[in-house]
Amino acid sequence: SEALTRLLGAPPPSLAFPYAKYDASTLIAARQVGFSSAVRLSGGVNEPGTDPLQLNRISLCGHRVWEHLERLK
């Protein structure tokens, strides 16, 4: 995170867990270094109360874009 802060000029607020590999200690470390949100590999819609460090991501590629947008209605 320090190297990214130097490179970007500001701390990065978000994290994407590589290959969806994380556990309780990873979440604690992410909070400690200041990440306010993170996405995991799981797809789906996030509900109120979802842990901001365990957000589902919606893949918007190809024909699936419309499928996901329809589910948000």
Side-chain angles (χ1 to χ4, degrees):
S1 159
E2 291 175 17
L4 282 173
T5 299
R6 283 193 302 276
L7 180 67
L8 300 172
S14 300
L15 171 68
F17 293 113
Y19 306 103
K21 302 288 185 191
Y22 71 97
D23 58 19
S25 63
T26 310
L27 295 173
I28 291 168
R31 281 188 178 90
Q32 287 176 339
V33 298
F35 288 108
S36 58
S37 64
V39 292
R40 55 190 187 167
L41 199 54
S42 304
V45 176
N46 296 293
E47 302 292 334
T50 299
D51 180 350
L53 287 175
Q54 296 186 67
L55 296 172
N56 296 313
R57 59 174 106 179
I58 297 175
S59 177
L60 299 178
C61 59
H63 66 280
R64 298 197 66 193
V65 171
W66 300 115
E67 174 187 326
H68 289 296
L69 292 175
E70 284 296 318
R71 289 194 298 181
L72 295 175
K73 288 184 180 180

